[in-house]
């Protein structure tokens, strides 16, 4: 389709056929004003399109920046996730090193030092939401416990009667299941 401004003869022929012969100057003025209106409308549409394109480019750039920042934050979170826990473990290490540095220790002093160090370790675990799972006397839960064997016992069947190794949960998620022995019904 040709632009009417590029072919001035296309529109006048149609106009000339429909316009009376005596109104030729008025028809030309009408055509010129219609053409001016169309050109102005086109200019406005182009400006609006350019404005929308610019807004789209800015939104796209902002989205890319947000995605990049989020990826950086995720990388930093993964890299430094254990920072708090590591900070809580440093005093435990210091206490163990101090205990080993003392010469001519008595067994009683060594035991007291180990107990204090264990308290520091338990506090570090609690601060990191690491909970101990000691299921002695509880119903066996295959999601938290690993049964090594079943033994005849006075306890109700499927009850934990021996804990061989405690389990640990991190924010209710099993890090290590407890190794247990469960009760089975006595043979009659």
């Amino acid at each position: 389709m040709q632009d009417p401004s590029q072919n001035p003869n296309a529109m006048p022929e149609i106009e000339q056929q429909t316009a009376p012969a005596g109104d030729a100057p008025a028809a030309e003025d009408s055509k010129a004003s219609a053409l001016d209106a169309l050109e102005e409308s086109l200019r406005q549409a182009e400006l609006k399109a350019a404005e929308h394109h610019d807004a789209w480019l800015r939104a796209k750039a902002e989205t890319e920046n947000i995605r990049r920042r989020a990826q950086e934050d995720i990388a930093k979170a993964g890299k430094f996730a254990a920072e708090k826990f590591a900070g809580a473990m440093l005093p435990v290490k210091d206490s163990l090193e101090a205990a080993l540095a003392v010469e001519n220790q008595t067994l009683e002093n060594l035991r007291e030092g180990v107990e204090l160090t264990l308290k520091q370790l338990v506090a570090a675990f609690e601060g990191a939401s690491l909970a101990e799972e000691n299921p002695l006397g509880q119903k066996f839960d295959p999601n938290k416990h690993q049964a090594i064997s079943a033994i005849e016992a006075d306890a109700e069947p499927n009850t934990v009667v021996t804990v061989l190794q405690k389990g640990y949960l991190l924010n209710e998620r099993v890090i290590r299941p407890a190794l247990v022995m469960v009760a089975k019904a006595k043979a009659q």
Side-chain angles (χ1 to χ4, degrees):
M1 184 171 189
Q2 281 189 330
D3 185 7
S5 64
Q6 293 176 355
N7 187 357
N9 294 330
M11 220 162 145
E13 287 179 9
I14 295 172
E15 295 281 334
Q16 288 173 358
Q17 291 174 0
T18 58
D23 293 338
E28 292 225 359
D29 286 345
S30 169
K31 285 190 272 181
S33 66
L35 191 56
D36 288 344
L38 284 174
E39 286 176 351
E40 180 60 27
S41 178
L42 178 61
R43 236 186 333 272
Q44 292 297 326
E46 286 174 343
L47 287 173
K48 196 156 207 112
E51 183 180 313
H52 288 303
H53 182 70
D54 183 55
W56 174 77
L57 287 175
R58 289 176 189 274
K60 182 179 176 185
E62 182 63 23
T63 303
E64 288 295 318
N65 288 339
I66 289 171
R67 187 166 41 86
R68 182 186 46 79
R69 275 187 245 127
Q71 287 174 341
E72 288 173 1
D73 289 347
I74 290 168
K76 284 180 185 175
K79 188 175 182 180
F80 298 110
E83 182 176 10
K84 182 179 174 187
F85 184 68
M89 294 302 295
L90 292 176
V92 176
K93 183 179 184 291
D94 293 341
S95 295
L96 289 171
E97 288 174 344
L100 291 174
V102 175
E103 293 188 28
N104 299 329
Q105 258 189 78
T106 65
L107 184 60
E108 192 174 299
N109 288 343
L110 182 62
R111 182 173 178 82
E112 286 177 20
V114 169
E115 286 174 352
L116 290 173
T117 303
L118 181 59
K119 286 181 184 178
Q120 286 178 319
L121 184 62
V122 168
F125 281 5
E126 287 173 357
S129 300
L130 186 62
E132 189 176 274
E133 173 71 13
N134 189 357
L136 186 62
Q138 298 176 8
K139 236 358 185 178
F140 174 74
D141 181 354
N143 297 314
K144 294 180 179 179
H145 314 140
Q146 183 177 351
I148 301 300
S149 66
I151 58 173
E152 289 183 3
D154 293 330
E156 185 179 325
N158 281 338
T159 301
V160 175
V161 292
T162 306
V163 177
L164 302 171
Q165 186 180 58
K166 296 175 189 173
Y168 288 91
L169 307 172
L170 179 62
N171 293 317
E172 300 300 318
R173 182 178 180 184
V174 176
I175 297 298
R176 181 178 81 187
L179 296 179
V180 299
M181 296 174 80
V182 295
K184 69 177 179 179
K186 288 187 177 184
Q188 305 233 351

